[in-house]
């Protein structure tokens, strides 16, 4: 690990062997439910500089995943904007709205490019690649490349030819 690394809630984390981090990585894990670990990072994960991962319910990052600089991953928001929710009204300051959360799952051998943002409730399948500056608001299938804001799949891996095919 390259320091400084900012860790809050270490007792709510499982960090795999071979974890490597750049400077100014921020890992925040605060369990709001009865859960022994809300942030689980697999084996041989590489996290570059200035990455922020925030978890209150569940963020899982699979083995051998590569995370570029300035990536943001969170399983929660201040307020719930998916359903009608009086507690998330614009009359209430954002910091006073109740936290809502949905688990985030990032598979094994995933590559997240520079400045990717992963929103609550997202699953990224094994072997997926996410292009720089992408905002991931929906699930990304295994063995695919996604890019954009919001991100969409632009290529998939064809195992029979061992090549990436455009969509």
């Amino acid at each position: 690990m390259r320091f400084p690394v900012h860790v809050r809630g270490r007792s709510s984390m499982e960090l795999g062997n071979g974890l490597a981090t750049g400077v100014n990585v921020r890992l925040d894990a605060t369990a709001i439910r009865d859960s022994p670990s809300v942030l689980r990072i697999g084996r041989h994960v590489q996290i570059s500089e200035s990455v922020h991962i925030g978890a209150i319910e569940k963020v899982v990052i699979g083995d051998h995943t590569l995370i570029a600089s300035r990536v943001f991953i969170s399983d929660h928001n201040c307020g719930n904007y998916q359903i009608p929710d009086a507690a998330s009204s614009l009359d209430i300051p954002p910091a006073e709205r109740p936290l809502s959360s949905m688990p985030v799952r990032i598979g094994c051998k995933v590559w997240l490019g520079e400045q990717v943002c992963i929103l609550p409730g997202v699953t990224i399948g094994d072997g997926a690649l996410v292009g720089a500056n992408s905002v991931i608001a929906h699930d990304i299938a295994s063995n695919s490349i996604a890019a954009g804001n919001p991100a969409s799949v632009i290529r998939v891996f064809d195992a029979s030819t061992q090549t990436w095919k455009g969509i």
Side-chain angles (χ1 to χ4, degrees):
M1 293 183 131
R2 291 180 54 209
F3 294 97
V5 172
H6 309 278
V7 176
R8 183 171 57 177
R10 177 64 181 98
S11 63
S12 294
M13 297 178 192
E14 292 178 40
L15 306 177
N17 292 332
L19 172 63
T21 69
V23 298
N24 293 319
V25 167
R26 182 174 156 195
L27 304 175
D28 293 315
T30 306
I32 61 169
R33 295 180 178 82
D34 294 330
S35 177
S37 66
V38 295
L39 175 57
R40 186 173 31 186
I41 299 176
R43 297 177 301 111
H44 305 290
V45 171
Q46 295 181 44
I47 301 174
S48 294
E49 289 78 20
S50 301
V51 170
H52 179 195
I53 303 171
I56 65 171
E57 182 175 336
K58 184 65 78 176
V59 173
V60 176
I61 299 172
D63 298 342
H64 301 281
T65 289
L66 177 62
I67 301 174
S69 299
R70 294 175 296 284
V71 169
F72 175 68
I73 302 168
S74 179
D75 68 352
H76 59 283
N77 282 316
C78 291
N80 188 344
Y81 309 100
Q82 304 298 317
I83 60 171
D85 181 12
S88 298
S89 165
L90 293 179
D91 295 333
I92 300 171
E96 295 176 19
R97 297 174 193 162
L99 293 176
S100 67
S101 65
M102 292 185 289
V104 170
R105 300 191 190 289
I106 299 169
C108 296
K109 299 179 184 173
V110 170
W111 179 12
L112 303 177
E114 292 276 328
Q115 296 185 332
V116 166
C117 178
I118 298 177
L119 301 178
V122 166
T123 296
I124 299 175
D126 294 342
L129 287 77
V130 178
N133 300 307
S134 296
V135 176
I136 310 300
H138 303 285
D139 293 351
I140 303 298
S142 295
N143 305 318
S144 63
I145 299 174
N149 180 5
S152 59
V153 173
I154 59 172
R155 294 191 179 277
V156 295
F157 189 73
D158 182 340
S160 66
T161 63
Q162 295 291 297
T163 60
W164 291 96
K165 304 284 186 182
I167 300 246

